[in-house]
Amino acid sequence: MEYYSKTAAGISPYTPGERPERPLIKINTNENPYPPSPAALTAACEAAGSTDNPSALRLYSDPDGLEVRQAVVAAEKAAGVVLTPENVFVGNGSDDVLSMCFQAFFPPAGAEDKPLLFPDISYSFYPVYAKLYGVAYQEEPLDEGFAVSNAGYLRPNGGVLLANPNAPTGIYKPLAEIEPILSYCLHKSVVVVDEAYIAFGGVSAATLLPWFPNLLVVRTLSKSHALAGLRVGYALGHPHLIEGLTRIKNSVNPYAVGYLAQKTAVAALLDVGYCAAMTARIVATRERVAQSLARMGFMVLPSAANFLFVTHERVEARQLYECLGAEGIWVRHFDQPRIKNYIRLSIGTDEEMDVFLQRVERELSTIH
Ligand code: PMP
């Protein structure tokens, strides 16, 4: 630590999910079990070029990511949301976009008394960014059913950050409940809605953008488009918020999104039909797995995401996590108050989930 800055020495970094070498089934980081769009794969190969066709990789990528922003606009149009490229910001995964939100919109501790507000149980990266960027924050407890209740958010704040659907619970908060928070914060603070999982259920807050210049919707291609390894995320909002993010990006890493990533993302975004078909498949599997787990005595939270958050009163979650891990089945367990006895499992293929269900059933029978 002797060479570290105070920041590097003091920070507790985010812990990513494990990446076991030869997992039998990897359902611990909410990746999509299906391949990305064939059009995206073709675009990736074409963008990479070959020795006799010197690749554009020699050159810097477009710092403005204009083609990706246009593709986002086209995909949103197909979903009935009318935007222009000035409403879109592109980043190196949504983690990158979120990090820029912290720098662009949330006040540093000490500058004001008003803290950034987010739920006590949510994406565990939020407190890491808040500490890294010195943002004062307050975690608002989810209610007993693990829903985000508005009471904690209708008070002076330096910003609001909500994952919707929330992670790791999977619970979706209807827009009619988000609107009062946006109205309360209007002309005062920015409300970021992290929609990493919106493709798997619920209506996007993007439909509220015309009324709320303080709303920023953050999305990713990691889950719905099966491109976690590509690292592309984006934000939708009023041009002045997009400009705020761009100011930060151009002060840190103007070429944050590489050429390959941009070309692949464009093709993936435009293949709206493929994405919808794969998403529908995952949702159908999710419902089937939820029912099977409920039949085994699990309490399954209602999920609008590509994962389930479950608990069983007769089985310790940690024990189940370890038993499954020993068999090469990787799920996620968070050693955190309130959710210690839950496991989160991503939705894999039907075949993977059948194996998972079989193993869980076997574990339960040995524990009873
Ligand atoms: N937000 C939430 C709620 C997430 O669960 C994740 C994935 N861990 C992200 C954002 C980040 O996704 P990515 O950086 O891959 O776009």
Side-chain angles (χ1 to χ4, degrees):
M1 298 253 189
E2 88 178 287
Y3 296 113
Y4 289 3
S5 67
K6 238 179 162 172
T7 309
I11 195 77
S12 305
Y14 171 73
T15 316
E18 290 137 310
R19 295 179 68 243
E21 221 164 76
R22 268 191 216 91
L24 179 64
I25 297 175
K26 185 178 183 301
I27 47 175
N28 65 338
T29 48
N30 301 339
E31 286 139 331
N32 191 313
Y34 300 111
S37 143
L41 296 178
T42 304
C45 293
E46 277 170 10
S50 57
T51 40
D52 45 335
N53 175 21
S55 158
L57 284 175
R58 270 187 324 105
L59 307 175
Y60 283 107
S61 56
D62 173 12
D64 298 324
L66 187 58
E67 278 185 55
V68 184
R69 290 158 62 207
Q70 286 166 338
V72 169
V73 169
E76 284 306 301
K77 194 170 166 207
V81 176
V82 179
L83 300 170
T84 71
E86 285 67 45
N87 296 116
V88 187
F89 174 83
V90 184
N92 193 301
S94 60
D95 282 339
D96 185 45
V97 177
L98 289 166
S99 124
M100 310 252 169
C101 291
F102 274 79
Q103 297 173 79
F105 308 125
F106 303 146
E112 299 185 44
D113 290 326
K114 295 180 244 165
L116 166 69
L117 305 175
F118 51 80
D120 62 339
I121 299 167
S122 193
Y123 185 29
S124 51
F125 222 138
Y126 301 159
V128 176
Y129 282 137
K131 285 178 198 149
L132 178 65
Y133 297 122
V135 168
Y137 68 97
Q138 177 125 11
E139 293 175 313
E140 293 297 329
L142 294 184
D143 70 17
E144 325 78 71
F146 285 160
V148 174
S149 101
N150 275 11
Y153 298 89
L154 302 178
R155 66 180 177 95
N157 63 69
V160 171
L161 175 51
L162 296 174
N164 199 33
N166 196 10
T169 62
I171 295 176
Y172 172 74
K173 186 173 174 67
L175 295 188
E177 292 178 19
I178 293 186
E179 266 191 72
I181 300 175
L182 285 161
S183 296
Y184 180 88
C185 297
L186 195 60
H187 307 305
K188 291 193 280 257
S189 60
V190 175
V191 177
V192 174
V193 181
D194 177 353
E195 292 190 340
Y197 302 101
I198 195 70
F200 304 98
V203 181
S204 170
T207 52
L208 301 176
L209 284 170
W211 293 275
F212 294 104
N214 58 333
L215 166 64
L216 197 80
V217 175
V218 176
R219 303 255 190 84
T220 176
L221 300 196
S222 296
K223 324 289 180 182
S224 50
H225 292 73
L227 287 168
L230 193 71
R231 313 305 303 134
V232 176
Y234 60 93
L236 308 174
H238 191 283
H240 68 247
L241 295 187
I242 300 305
E243 183 54 32
L245 292 172
T246 307
R247 289 170 69 89
I248 298 293
K249 176 188 73 79
N250 287 345
S251 308
V252 178
N253 183 6
Y255 309 104
V257 188
Y259 180 77
L260 267 181
Q262 292 196 27
K263 289 291 181 192
T264 312
V266 167
L269 282 160
L270 295 180
D271 199 350
V272 173
Y274 179 86
C275 177
M278 293 303 117
T279 304
R281 227 157 126 177
I282 292 168
V283 169
T285 309
R286 178 188 74 206
E287 294 310 300
R288 184 173 71 80
V289 174
Q291 283 170 17
S292 300
L293 289 171
R295 273 198 297 273
M296 290 183 216
F298 281 91
M299 203 276 275
V300 182
L301 293 190
S303 171
N306 67 339
F307 56 83
L308 293 170
F309 202 49
V310 303
T311 186
H312 197 293
E313 60 178 19
R314 286 195 307 276
V315 189
E316 254 188 55
R318 178 89 212 170
Q319 190 188 349
L320 187 58
Y321 161 81
E322 281 168 4
C323 292
L324 290 170
E327 301 207 41
I329 301 179
W330 291 83
V331 296
R332 191 99 192 247
H333 175 254
F334 298 90
D335 205 0
Q336 255 181 59
R338 292 188 78 188
I339 56 171
K340 259 191 179 53
N341 211 32
Y342 283 77
I343 59 167
R344 190 193 70 189
L345 54 121
S346 318
I347 302 302
T349 62
D350 278 303
E351 296 72 29
E352 286 175 322
M353 299 321 286
D354 285 341
V355 175
F356 164 78
L357 290 168
Q358 266 171 20
R359 301 292 162 96
V360 170
E361 200 154 27
R362 208 169 66 199
E363 294 305 336
L364 287 183
S365 66
T366 61
I367 290 164
H368 286 175

